[in-house]
């Protein structure tokens, strides 16, 4: 198939450091290429891909700092670039929320949009009701909760390349926390769990500008404990050691997590997950098999004490079966084919460009 | 004419407090209505207008605080609302930067967009080059500087209703600073001028969240001077007294000011303006007649000492001639007519809606 992937521009594809959406787009794109599809990737110019790259801006916008004042302008222009080339694709797969909906409505393009974010934001509902015909993919069943009426064409769980992380059969000696430090990710809960169990906690996480104040006011003082080691933001190459060396990943979130990529990254290393029940968690983690799902600090502490009962090889096997990039790619290809079969009249003549142009 | 005005949703039209763009949209809308035109205003639901209001959201998004997480979603939906009703208008006048360009390109609508912001932001240039056919209005000649190649159809200086501010023929005893406290508005320069001349300075200004740190680190300590009075953000009804009671408005900006509404508000009260040479300033202020244009602190101090030489009635007269809402409305109506005559085939049949809808 001729496939276009349209990524956000905040991070490169794949991202240098943190960046769930861009990471998933990278895995999906490379997997489609590997299977012989003709893929075009619309992304920042510093992206690295086996697909044909259509660079929209020079570098990931987040890395440009003060040089980028208006990131939206780049995304609006990207939509126009995609629309202009749309005749060359069988399907266009958007990963940029709703920004392209008005153009999609006016230009006959077979398209699908994966919703990567939380959908319990009231602002989103009116715009999705307006564009109720758009084909959407959820990344978990739970994510759909606030918008059951949308035109969902499937749920596709994220996947990670099988060779990216290695199974460590022997459990490590510490608990791991990986991701962002922000109120909804609840690193404070992870620290409490470490204190109550006496097991060391390593924290690899970034602090966004918007979360700086929260970090300084609520978290920094909690890090001054010999049990706690804060190592900052880490890249892909360090993650396998970091996650694989842990006896468990702590995922103590307190928000409707749409997916939670780090959970399957841990499983890929054979590391089970202790997660608070929220959002996608019950769909990703199998209780007593790949981790424990908890609702209180007591339950979390108890889960840490029982972590040795979980088989790390089983965690890896479940990862390979349910959360590989190959499986994700197959799921998306099935959706692409289904949508293309339903809309067989995608030909250049159906493209109406620039009627208002002089 | 059947006119649609499309306002930003951050503030109501008119805004409760600060908000230059929404204020200008309010004046223009009411003036068009007063002249017998059939005007529809797309704006936040708490707007107050003589036009037919099409409310997009319940309240001004800035006032909703944490309840609004994604303001963009409301603007995307507004563009769709406008497009759906576009057949009912002779002209659609946008005040929301570039967000509607992709839809305008695909739907035959006679439209014009006033650029309200600074254009020296590199992010903007690629998107404007992409949509080079869009009809743009600048609010000063200087504003066009970074984008001389755009499809400018006119410059329309802002205007303010003649009865909103009253002439005070007797000069007041203090210097005034009105607007935002932010690095580019340089309230620090205003404070220096007050100190060096020994004339009291009253500051009526808001501090945006993004400017809080600048305010605390750089400005707050400067306010602890008996010459300086900081009175916070004020509304329209207080402005006439505040500006009219001053001997001069200080406008010591250090950025390419696109227009600078407060300058003409001061003139409407008869209050001359001491402004730093930047952006629109030399187009708005007539040297030695309605104010002094300066480039250094010394020149600013000197200008304050000569302020009595300027005639307050002349300031008011120049305001009435050049910067009334009536004059602004006439300028825009001339542009509307010109664009409509050039595009005479605006009929319902030219509207193509929802080709992708089920």
């Amino acid at each position: 198939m001729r496939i276009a992937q349209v990524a956000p521009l905040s991070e490169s594809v794949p991202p240098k450091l943190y960046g769930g959406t861009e990471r998933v787009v990278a895995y999906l794109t490379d997997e489609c290429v590997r299977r012989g599809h003709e893929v075009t990737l619309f992304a920042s110019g510093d992206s690295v891909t086996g697909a044909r790259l259509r660079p929209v801006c020079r570098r990931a916008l987040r890395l440009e700092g003060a040089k980028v004042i208006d990131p939206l302008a780049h995304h609006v222009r990207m939509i126009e670039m995609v629309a202009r080339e749309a005749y060359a694709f069988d399907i266009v797969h958007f990963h940029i929320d709703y920004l392209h909906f008005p153009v999609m409505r006016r230009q006959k393009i077979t398209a699908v949009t994966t919703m990567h974010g939380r959908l319990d934001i009231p602002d989103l509902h009116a715009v999705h009701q307006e564009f109720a015909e758009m084909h959407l993919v959820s990344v978990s069943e739970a994510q759909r909760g606030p918008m059951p009426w949308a035109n969902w064409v499937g749920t596709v769980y994220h996947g990670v390349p099988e060779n990216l992380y290695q199974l460590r059969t022997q459990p490590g000696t510490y608990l791991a926390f990986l991701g962002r430090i922000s109120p909804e990710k609840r690193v404070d809960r992870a620290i409490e769990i470490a204190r109550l169990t006496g097991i060391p906690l390593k924290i690899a996480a970034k602090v966004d500008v918007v979360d700086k104040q929260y970090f300084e006011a609520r978290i920094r003082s909690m890090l001054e404990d010999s049990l706690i080691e804060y190592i900052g933001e880490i890249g892909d190459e360090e993650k396998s050691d970091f996650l694989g060396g842990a006896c468990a990943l702590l995922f103590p979130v307190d928000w409707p997590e749409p997916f939670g990529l780090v959970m399957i990254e841990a499983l890929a290393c054979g590391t089970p997950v202790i997660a608070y029940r929220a959002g996608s968690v019950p769909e990703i983690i199998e209780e007593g098999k790949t981790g424990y799902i908890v609702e209180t600090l007591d339950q979390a502490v108890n889960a840490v004490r029982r972590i040795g009962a979980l088989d790390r090889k089983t965690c890896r096997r479940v990862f390979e079966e349910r959360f590989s990039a190959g499986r994700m790619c197959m799921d998306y290809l099935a959706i692409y084919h289904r949508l293309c079969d339903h809309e067989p009249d995608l030909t250049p003549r159906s493209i109406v460009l620039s009627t208002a142009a002089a």
Side-chain angles (χ1 to χ4, degrees), chain A:
Chain A
M1 294 183 91
R2 300 170 305 163
I3 301 163
Q5 298 288 346
V6 184
L9 303 171
S10 306
E11 308 287 344
S12 59
V13 175
K16 303 278 178 285
L17 297 165
Y18 190 91
T21 301
E22 292 86 350
R23 174 162 289 121
V24 168
V25 174
Y27 300 156
L28 173 60
T29 298
D30 289 346
E31 195 66 27
C32 287
V33 170
R34 211 173 64 79
R35 283 158 198 261
H37 296 284
E38 194 184 299
V39 190
T40 302
L41 172 65
F42 293 83
S44 72
D46 52 348
S47 297
V48 177
T49 179
R52 186 174 70 112
L53 179 64
R54 293 287 284 119
V56 180
C57 49
R58 208 171 54 91
R59 287 174 69 208
L61 299 182
R62 180 165 83 106
L63 301 181
E64 296 279 23
K67 273 194 282 182
V68 166
I69 292 172
D70 193 344
L72 181 61
H74 300 276
H75 288 87
V76 168
R77 194 170 70 90
M78 175 165 69
I79 289 168
E80 198 61 31
M81 289 170 64
V82 173
R84 178 173 301 136
E85 297 186 28
Y87 67 89
F89 311 123
D90 297 312
I91 183 122
V92 181
H93 187 170
F94 289 96
H95 302 268
I96 54 168
D97 296 327
Y98 52 77
L99 195 59
H100 52 294
F101 287 177
V103 169
M104 290 307 104
R105 177 169 279 182
R106 288 169 176 77
Q107 187 169 335
K108 190 132 190 60
I109 296 172
T110 304
V112 63
T113 301
T114 293
M115 302 311 297
H116 286 267
R118 65 193 291 178
L119 299 178
D120 63 329
I121 296 171
D123 305 313
L124 296 177
H125 299 169
V127 76
H128 277 281
Q129 269 159 350
E130 170 63 49
F131 294 97
E133 79 274 18
M134 297 293 153
H135 300 128
L136 303 185
V137 169
S138 47
V139 299
S140 65
E141 292 292 319
Q143 186 195 27
R144 297 183 182 188
M147 287 177 21
W149 39 259
N151 187 17
W152 299 108
V153 297
T155 287
V156 180
Y157 295 130
H158 291 334
V160 168
E162 296 196 17
N163 57 3
L164 198 58
Y165 300 103
Q166 283 74 48
L167 168 66
R168 286 253 209 124
T169 50
Q170 290 307 309
T173 54
Y174 60 88
L175 301 166
F177 179 97
L178 176 62
R180 270 186 297 135
I181 291 186
S182 63
E184 71 272 18
K185 294 288 191 178
R186 295 300 298 266
V187 73
D188 57 317
R189 280 181 176 164
I191 293 168
E192 280 302 317
I193 294 166
R195 282 179 180 164
L196 290 168
T197 57
I199 299 180
L201 171 68
K202 292 191 186 187
I203 300 169
K206 76 160 175 173
V207 182
D208 280 335
V209 174
V210 292
D211 294 317
K212 269 272 188 294
Q213 206 190 343
Y214 165 77
F215 177 73
E216 295 298 337
R218 306 286 302 277
I219 303 303
R220 188 180 280 288
S221 65
M222 297 183 81
L223 300 177
E224 286 162 15
D225 183 313
S226 61
L227 274 179
I228 312 299
E229 188 184 351
Y230 175 55
I231 61 175
E233 197 171 356
I234 61 174
D236 267 352
E237 63 291 346
E238 299 156 279
K239 270 199 205 167
S240 196
D241 279 347
F242 178 78
L243 290 170
C247 58
L249 173 77
L250 298 185
F251 196 68
V253 292
D254 193 11
W255 75 311
E257 181 72 48
F259 185 81
L261 204 54
V262 67
M263 290 192 283
I264 67 171
E265 291 171 335
L267 297 184
C269 302
T271 302
V273 179
I274 296 170
Y276 272 60
R277 184 180 299 282
S280 64
V281 164
E283 297 171 62
I284 311 299
I285 300 305
E286 295 168 62
E287 175 69 21
K289 187 173 178 186
T290 57
Y292 297 113
I293 301 173
V294 303
E295 295 181 347
T296 66
L297 205 53
D298 276 356
Q299 290 176 6
V301 167
N302 196 262
V304 172
R305 296 197 171 122
R306 291 180 296 140
I307 204 73
L310 302 180
D311 178 35
R312 295 180 64 96
K313 283 186 199 147
T314 302
C315 290
R316 171 74 195 185
R317 186 172 47 71
V318 169
F319 158 74
E320 289 172 5
E321 286 167 7
R322 297 185 59 207
F323 300 117
S324 72
R327 191 275 313 148
M328 171 173 68
C329 182
M330 298 283 278
D331 284 356
Y332 275 120
L333 287 169
I335 288 172
Y336 300 166
H337 280 292
R338 211 163 78 225
L339 294 177
C340 289
D341 289 343
H342 283 182
E343 300 180 70
D345 59 342
L346 184 82
T347 59
R349 68 166 165 73
S350 66
I351 308 300
V352 183
L353 258 180
S354 195
T355 57

